[in-house]
């Protein structure tokens, strides 16, 4: 199952969750309506069923229950969507790990997250540390890859080596890529609505003494008051029971769904890293009774299904509502020879000074899956640790001998299908390329990417034009920005500072131009976490300058379009400037016109010969077994193309997969993907919210 199928499955599960929620609401209404009739109308001379079927009572009860349960769930979901991943991590006691941290442990964690993000093509998420949690655990939270965050406990940093920590992070990235994080947050909203029933019952029950006290004062109405108290007592007890039963079954559903997703995420982590020793060793260390994976924070109960490991203490009810598979079973899925023996104690991976003890080999290897065990024929990962068979980092799509002899159009279709199928997937080859790209970034620029103000300068430097006359206009724009955001606009010292600022941007621009063009996209991705630290006003000003720099030459090139797509697609939502897109299109016929505009633009862009342009355009429509007329250049201008892609972003995941494959058929019609074509398709993927894995070379 690929990225698009997982996303579509997540959408279908959301619909199934809505169906179950409506069914639960109907059952709750029937139970509470019957309880109200029994408690308050049992002495009536009118028939029980006559009262039960009274339309007015049904209306009042249904409205009351809908307002209580439905509005509570809606409130919680809206609250979580406003909090996004950052707010959820903070509510669990997480502290944002700033990019300027000096802690070796935290730097190692950030480096792993950066590698995973660049390899998978998603924006680099913020990373939070649960500093007071000694257990080994982690979580991913967010409604989309752009808003997701990674949280890690202090115990995970203390006890896991790099391979094990990488396995855990890969597990969490799998949840982000497969849409599990969004589904998990919606489950929290559903459960909150059902919890409100219990809370209402408890409030009524605990406040009955107030009514009893009032009835004692009114001795003339003792009988009536006692009847009211008795009815409320029975009602509150009934409400509590109904609420607990509803929560019982809801937790069972949540646990069943979550357990299966954990198995899939474990398998994905092994697939991503090609190293069962990593996640297998982390799971074995969780089994240490002195460490475990418990989370002590009071808000952790409602978010238990977000975590890597089970957060509860061992017990009957915790095993019944356990949101994770049995630990031994999880390990045996990776290592069939595991006998269920866990370490009695663990050594920390850092010394008293807080430095990572990288030479602690006995702790690294003692509780990990052995390489001999992973080659057991019964293991689904029996050959995954054999890295000699992996493709070299210089290859992106491997074609066999028969495919290499195909005509260019057929070869392009094969390449297109392979590339699109890789979306949302990570493998060791991607990680090798990501690591290589990160190492290619000069140390000075890497350090500046960790500071929000310097990160702005780097983005601006990326946009400085090679033509001197355009570059001069761009520097004037930056100078105006500096003057309008400086406290001492008229002082000579401020003029000197502005010169230093412009020289710094020019220096960065010169450094970046001397590097491989392939490094530009990772630099943009690595700048995102620091840019999220900007204030809303600073971001608005930064965004305005970016747009001015792009428009300075009265045209927009492909890299500028790619940069703006990668930047603004996530940051605009982070700062609340644009809402998340709502799905509107499920069928190709609904988007055929914007698709025609986009395909025409791609055909013109990638080919100079008129026949090649028509051939590439027909290759895109040929994917849908259709034919159409190539639009004129004026009908598919860059502005029309950008608008068309925005419309296509409102498609379902399955339709997006088909659209992207068709676009690749268009640009791969000649069997080659050039560097600029690669940047263009990456920009399209970013707007369509389809994470494109890192490419290993500029021309395929």
């Amino acid at each position: 199952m690929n990225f698009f199928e997982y996303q579509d499955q997540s959408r279908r599960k959301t619909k199934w969750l809505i169906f179950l929620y409506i069914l639960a609401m109907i059952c709750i209404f029937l139970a509470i309506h019957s309880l109200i009739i029994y408690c308050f109308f049992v002495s009536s001379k009118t028939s029980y069923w006559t009262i039960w079927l009274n339309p007015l009572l049904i209306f009042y009860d249904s409205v009351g229950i809908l307002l209580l349960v439905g509005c509570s769930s809606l409130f919680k979901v809206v609250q979580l969507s406003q909090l996004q991943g950052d707010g959820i991590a903070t509510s669990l006691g997480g502290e944002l790990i700033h990019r300027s941290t000096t802690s070796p442990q935290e730097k190692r964690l950030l480096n792993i997250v950066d590698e995973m993000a660049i390899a998978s093509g998603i924006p680099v998420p913020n990373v939070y540390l649960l500093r007071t949690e000694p257990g080994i655990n982690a979580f991913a939270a967010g409604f989309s890859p752009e808003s997701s965050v990674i949280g890690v406990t202090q115990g995970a940093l203390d006890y896991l080596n790099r391979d094990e920590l990488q396995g855990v992070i890969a597990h969490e990235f799998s949840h982000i890529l497969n849409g599990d994080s969004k589904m998990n947050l919606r489950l929290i909203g559903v459960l909150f609505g059902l919890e409100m029933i219990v809370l209402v019952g408890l409030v009524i029950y605990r406040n009955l003494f107030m009514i009893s006290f009032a009835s004692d004062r009114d001795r003339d109405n003792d009988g009536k008051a006692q009847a009211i108290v008795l009815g409320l007592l029975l009602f509150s007890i009934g409400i509590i029971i109904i609420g607990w039963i509803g929560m019982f079954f809801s937790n069972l559903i949540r646990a069943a769904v979550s357990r299966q997703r954990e198995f899939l995420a474990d398998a994905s982590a092994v697939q991503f890293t090609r190293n069962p020793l990593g996640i297998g060793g982390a799971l074995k260390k969780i089994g240490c009774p002195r460490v475990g994976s418990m989370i002590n924070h009071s808000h952790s109960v409602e978010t238990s299904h977000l975590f890597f490991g089970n957060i509860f203490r061992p017990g009957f009810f915790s095993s019944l509502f356990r949101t994770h598979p049995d630990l031994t079973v999880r390990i045996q899925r990776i290592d069939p020879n595991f006998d269920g023996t866990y370490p009695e104690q663990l050594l920390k991976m850092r010394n008293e000074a807080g430095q990572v003890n990288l030479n602690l080999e006995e702790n690294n290897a003692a509780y990990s899956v052995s390489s001999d065990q992973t080659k057991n024929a019964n293991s689904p990962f029996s050959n995954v640790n054999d890295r000699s068979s992996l493709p070299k980092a210089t290859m992106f799509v491997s074609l066999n001998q028969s495919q290499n002899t195909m005509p260019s159009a057929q070869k392009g279709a094969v390449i297109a299908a392979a590339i699109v199928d890789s979306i949302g997937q990570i493998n060791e080859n991607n990680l090798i390329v990501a690591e290589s790209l990160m190492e290619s970034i000069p140390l000075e620029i890497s350090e500046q990417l960790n500071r929000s103000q310097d990160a702005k300068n780097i983005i601006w430097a990326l946009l400085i034009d090679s033509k001197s006359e355009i570059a001069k206009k761009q520097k004037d724009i930056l100078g105006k920005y500096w003057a309008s955001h400086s406290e001492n606009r008229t002082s000579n010292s401020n003029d000197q500072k502005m010169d230093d600022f412009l020289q710094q941007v020019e220096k960065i621009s010169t450094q970046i131009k001397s590097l491989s063009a392939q490094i530009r996209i990772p630099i943009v991705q690595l700048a995102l976490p620091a840019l999220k630290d900007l204030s809303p006003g600073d971001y608005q000003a930064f965004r305005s300058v970016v747009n001015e720099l792009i428009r300075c030459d009265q045209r927009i090139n492909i890299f500028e379009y790619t940069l703006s797509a990668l930047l603004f697609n996530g940051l605009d939502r982070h700062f609340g400037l644009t809402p998340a897109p709502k799905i509107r299109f499920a069928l190709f016929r609904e988007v055929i016109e914007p698709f025609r505009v986009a395909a025409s633009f791609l055909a013109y862009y990638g080919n100079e010969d008129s026949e090649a342009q028509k051939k590439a355009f027909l290759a895109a429509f040929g994917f849908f077994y259709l034919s159409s007329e190539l639009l004129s250049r004026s009908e598919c201008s860059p502005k029309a193309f950008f608008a068309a892609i925005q419309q296509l972003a409102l498609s379902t995941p399955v339709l997006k997969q088909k659209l992207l494959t068709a676009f690749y058929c268009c640009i791969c019609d000649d069997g080659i993907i050039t560097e600029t074509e690669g940047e263009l398709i990456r920009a399209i993927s970013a707007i369509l919210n389809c994470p494109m894995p890192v490419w290993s070379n500029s021309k395929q």
Side-chain angles (χ1 to χ4, degrees), residues 217-250:
R217 294 174 57 187
D218 190 1
R219 297 183 180 277
D220 295 334
N221 295 317
D222 277 351
K224 185 177 180 180
Q226 289 176 2
I228 294 174
V229 170
L230 179 61
L232 287 173
L233 179 63
L234 292 173
F235 178 72
S236 63
I237 294 173
I239 287 290
I240 293 171
I241 293 173
I242 292 170
W244 276 113
I245 292 174
M247 288 181 62
F248 175 84
F249 286 105
S250 296

Side-chain angles (χ1 to χ4, degrees), residues 132-146:
T132 60
E133 300 292 351
I136 299 173
N137 225 321
F139 68 89
F143 282 90
S144 66
E146 295 80 15

Side-chain angles (χ1 to χ4, degrees), residues 241-447:
I241 293 173
I242 292 170
W244 276 113
I245 292 174
M247 288 181 62
F248 175 84
F249 286 105
S250 296
N251 277 299
L252 287 180
I253 294 171
R254 179 182 66 175
V257 172
S258 181
R259 289 175 191 174
Q260 186 59 34
R261 303 308 293 177
E262 292 303 314
F263 278 132
L264 293 173
D266 286 346
S268 295
V270 177
Q271 177 188 351
F272 292 171
T273 62
R274 289 292 181 101
N275 183 13
L277 304 177
I279 191 169
L283 290 170
K284 286 187 177 183
K285 288 182 177 180
I286 284 178
C288 175
R290 297 188 180 183
V291 178
S293 57
M294 280 184 54
I295 300 294
N296 299 315
H297 198 277
S298 58
H299 290 166
S300 63
V301 176
E302 65 177 349
T303 57
S304 60
H305 55 298
L306 300 182
F307 284 88
F308 172 71
N310 182 33
I311 70 167
F312 299 112
R313 294 182 183 275
F316 172 74
F317 285 103
S318 65
S319 63
L320 185 64
F321 297 120
R322 186 173 53 212
T323 53
H324 295 68
D326 181 74
L327 189 59
T328 302
V329 175
R330 288 178 72 179
I331 297 173
Q332 287 175 341
R333 289 282 186 103
I334 301 170
D335 173 20
N337 291 336
F338 178 63
D339 60 2
T341 302
Y342 295 101
E344 292 296 326
Q345 64 178 15
L346 295 176
L347 301 176
K348 289 189 176 183
M349 301 296 298
R350 63 174 180 169
N351 57 30
E352 293 181 358
Q355 298 175 329
V356 179
N357 190 350
L358 299 177
N359 296 319
L360 196 58
E361 295 297 334
E362 66 275 14
N363 192 53
N364 292 358
Y367 311 117
S368 297
V369 186
S370 69
S371 58
D372 291 336
Q373 289 173 333
T374 58
K375 293 182 180 180
N376 183 290
N378 296 324
S379 173
F381 312 112
S382 57
N383 297 318
V384 82
N385 209 39
D386 183 9
R387 302 189 180 202
S388 62
S389 62
L390 289 172
K392 301 299 182 184
T394 56
M395 292 300 294
F396 180 63
V397 177
S398 298
L399 301 178
N400 59 37
Q401 186 175 0
S402 62
Q403 290 171 334
N404 270 318
T405 59
M406 289 178 175
S408 60
Q410 293 183 21
K411 187 191 295 186
V414 173
I415 294 174
I419 293 174
V420 174
D421 196 49
S422 73
I423 289 177
Q425 303 293 322
I426 311 174
N427 57 44
E428 191 190 41
N429 189 33
N430 300 133
L431 290 174
I432 290 172
V433 176
E435 184 178 354
S436 175
L437 290 173
M438 290 177 63
E439 289 176 353
S440 301
I441 300 173
L443 179 61
E444 183 181 359
I445 292 180
S446 294
E447 292 177 348

Side-chain angles (χ1 to χ4, degrees), residues 448 454 457 478-479 482 492-508:
Q448 290 174 338
D454 289 334
N457 295 346
L478 292 173
W482 175 267
N492 292 329
S493 62
N494 189 63
D495 292 338
Q496 181 63 43
K497 289 179 181 178
M498 184 175 74
D499 290 339
D500 293 341
F501 161 68
L502 293 176
Q503 288 175 7
Q504 182 187 15
V505 173
E506 187 174 5
K507 178 184 176 183
I508 296 171

